[in-house]
Amino acid sequence: MSVNQQAHTGPPYGQPQPGYQGYQQPAYGGQSLPGAPQQYGAYNGPMPGYQQPVPAQGYYPSLGFPSKGSPVSLNSDTSSLAPNFIGSLRAPPTSGAPPPASGASHPSGPVAYSQFEHGDVQNGIPASAAPVQRPPASQPFLPGSAPTPVSQISTFQQYGPPPASVQQLRNHMAGMTIGSTAASAPPPAGLGYASVPPVSGSCSATGSGLYTPYSASQGPPPASVSQGLPLAQPPFPAQTIPTQRLPAQVPGFTPPPPSAGVGPSSYPPTTGAPRPPAMPGPPLPGQTVAGPPSSQPNHVSSPPPPSTMAGLHPGPPMSGLHGPPPPTHPPQPGYPMQQNGSFGQMRGPQPNYGGAYPGAPNYGSPPGPPPPPKRLDPDSIPSPQLNELPPQQKPRHRIDPDAIPSPIQVIEDDRNNRGSEPFVTGVRGQVPPLVTTNFLVKDQGNASPRYIRCTSYNIPCTSDMAKQSQVPLAAVIKPLATLPPDETLPYLVDHGESGPVRCNRCKAYMCPFMQFIEGGRRFQCCFCSCVTEVPPHYFQHLDHTGKRVDFYDRPELSLGSYEFLATVDYCKNNKFPIPPAFIFMIDVSYNAVKSGLVRLICEELKSLLDYLPREGNMEESAIRVGFVTYNKVLHFYNVKNSLAQPQMMVVSDVADMFVPLLDGFLVNVNESRTVITSLLDQIPEMFADTRETETVFAPVIQAGLEALKAAECAGKLFIFHTSLPIAEAPGKLKNRDDRKLVNTDKEKTLFQPQTSFYNNLAKDCVAQGCCVDLFLFPNQYLDVATLGVVPYQTGGSIYKYAYFQLETDQYRFLNDLRRDVQKEVGFDAVMRVRTSTGIRATDFFGAFYMSNTTDVEMAGLDCDKTITVEFKHDDKLSEDSGALLQCALLYTSCAGQRRLRIHNLSLNCCTQLADLYRNCETDTLINYLAKYAYRGVLSSPVKTVRDALINQCAQILACYRKNCASPSSAGQLILPECMKLLPVYLNCVLKSDVLQPGPEVTTDDRAYIRQLVTSMDVAETNVFFYPRLLPLTKADVDSDALPAAIRNSEERLSKGDIYLLENGLNIFVWVGVSVQQSLIQNLFGVSSFSQISNALSTLPVLENPFSKKVRSIVDVLQGQRSRYMKLIVVKQEDKLEMLFKHFLVEDKSLTGGASYVDFLCHMHKEIRQLLS
């Protein structure tokens, strides 16, 4: 994990999430609860009584996060302490534990408690059945987490000066029973269960046994804290987290000094809350003494989060707690309690944002005597007994969300670490920067990650190892990806009549990995090892290293991506293709005309036809255009340049579709401009008074297909359609929408087409190179699952504008149409993926058609589409030679040129699972898993698909835990460093509308999203499943930078701020009820919150810095996405807010989806079951 991953010490969790039975929420501040799935902290040394094996190379048990591959572990039960540990310590089993090592006796000497004097350190826990937390030992993500009371052996242990080394520290710990669980009890289940009975042998210290734990913000101590704290560091104001044990260190322990192998970098600065030093004195490396650190962009501004963090949650009471909700404490004198409106108490200043502190709660009566010892059975942990909680101490427990891996932090760290240097592709098996990082690629022999991303860059040598890990081996390939302006497009290589040089046996294309032998006269194929003669015209001598002397002059020998000009042998019917055509097919039924859509399309096309895609430096586009309108019948238009007026021909026999004219239907725009303009002026008038409400659909596609066949060219149909095609015709559909099927075994039928007619039609379209892009404008059910079959299988796109309204939706529609018409497209495309011996491509996901098992066929492939390929082993791989992929795409350019685009990628192979887990890419893995699941719903009940996803991820993480992580108790959740976001992202996929729809999500929406995601690239799925949330009020109006993103949770929002949330399809602007009137005036041009209109689809253009900044942020985000995002203004407490909250994916969803914290608990439970 990252060094600067800070943990926020959060107040207790507000409400349990009913999503998982039996999970209560623990107080989660880095402490863990026995019996509960636990947080992450890197493993830090052995339990007494465990042999310490040599850690896998690259894993540094005592280091926090910096090293790639050091595991993230939540809640360790180990007895050595390292500075980076988040989890908690627990007693070694008393039976059979080795005697304390010599040197573990506790030296006499001054008692140095970091925070609390005798009066406050509590041995054992206060009289409460709140979870007994164990002091964490190493603290990856939460160095600053709330101190958790340490439960010690009943006699006070004197802790001597800090041990000088890890070993001493282990010895120190070995003699102490920390967090005593009954000797026979198995290790606790870890994170996320609420209550654990108090421990045996604990006695309450004199004085108030309650702590003033650290709150999110670190301020001076409240004036009237009754405990006498030796204020090495002031306690946190804000909020009690009862019965937590001390985090990061036992009082009196400083973490091992750097000589013990823990450099400054292993102390991540804390979030908002510095970690208490062991003794009064200078802060530890990486630690600030007061005030929030500024390096963590992942928290919200001073405005506090919602009350989940602040003690009471409005939600339902926790299971197991009966009775009134806990009282809120009055503010301490000296600090006014900051209220955050409906969000409860204020969180402290967050990194990057200023802000006041929260008030500190006042603590009342000391707890009663400790309860009698109880035996623990982690599998049946009782709920807290309320009568054991003192009256002042009955808050709900929760895992601190800042203690668990933060997507925002990971993204920010990757940007900081990898955004400045170019990514040079010369080295085999390099993991690229994240998709969220802006980086420059230099091609030196492997394809850019913009073209290919893999789930792992180090793949297992054997199929057994692959099966054991369950990590899918897949590549997400975007063959025609758009590159940023400062990167070079693939070079076009022309080998003349002989065409590209290929291997004789496997037909792989010449690439940098081919080995030239015999002085350059032959080459050995890197894929199949076959030796092939070098054609005479291609011969070149080798230098002393065995490289050809023209190595750098030939793109195919030195670059990962390049293009070959294809010869006639690569063309259909052995003749060169004619440039493609675009046919615009407009629904002119009553709905389309009445809504103003027909007039809008015709007006736009007049200017848009000047922007058809063109090749390189061509004067004008080679693409010809044609026009059709339709309702129950089809109207073809002759727009030949010799005509004074366009001619209309009607085909009413839709059962036997034909094209009534050849000459004059497909024309060059410039030659026929006046006739086309005249036609586009006339269409809205001709149909202005139509009463026809019924439409056909399949005959429209057939008409376009026939026209392209007649013209002997490939092309694209742009179909603008409004309603379910119920008119009598081939492909007629009925309304089969049935919400009652949701969550039944028949639910899968909602995603399947009604009829096989469209599958057959799609097959014909692909054979001709006829790609279909469909623009839908439904006011009711339209059966996207069926209408989408042809666009999907031809490599086309679907755009959907439900309840289309001219004033609010035209801007979005026109932007989408312009981009769709202008973007780079390859026609009549075939893609094949070759692999080196040992693995082969076995499965494909995306918008395409396959007539055999190897060739992916697409009538059209645009620059936004991806094809995801899964690989399986068919033999052993070797670590020395690695594994190679070559993706070859044969396509016709928009100028009619037949080309081959080649992308090559070399991967490492490993015999150690640790190497696999160290080189995975979670974003790509989630992209693959989402596509796999979204395909699964076609054939299996949704619940089966969800369970399979959870099970696969649990197996991936359990395999890591079992084979790669250092041994530690089962109560600890340990995640691989590069997969630590797998649970949060997977939960987002599980909660998505396809797999867990809310009542407002229509069947069409689900079918639409399912098809959309199937061809998304990794950057798009990343923001789609975990939207980007930006605090606009924190934006610096003088800089070009975007404000630092915050996590997707309601508790991060402040009602005094304005936020922007984007997911690739929508942009929400959320306005809090207490936003300053001047900001509202500057952004919306109205004087008060109540006057802001929900109907805004664009922000008003106002001449002030804030308005300009926000509009420029929106423009930047729109420019990064392949579709124009719909802008929705949401006012806090407005009815639209429910829709907005649906995208706050770390929270519990209204449809029953688990919160991130709950899901992490559930995953931990699943992993433990697999391991046991």
Side-chain angles (χ1 to χ4, degrees), residues 34 332 500 821 972 1051 1082 1103:
Q332 281 286 12
V821 167
Q972 193 173 344
E1051 63 195 23
N1082 284 344
E1103 288 303 313

Side-chain angles (χ1 to χ4, degrees), residues 571-572 575-580 712-714 828 891-893 895-898:
C571 302
K572 216 179 256 177
K575 57 184 201 184
F576 283 112
I578 297 172
E712 297 186 342
C713 68
D828 229 338
Y891 71 99
T892 302
S893 74
Q897 204 175 49
R898 200 69 174 149

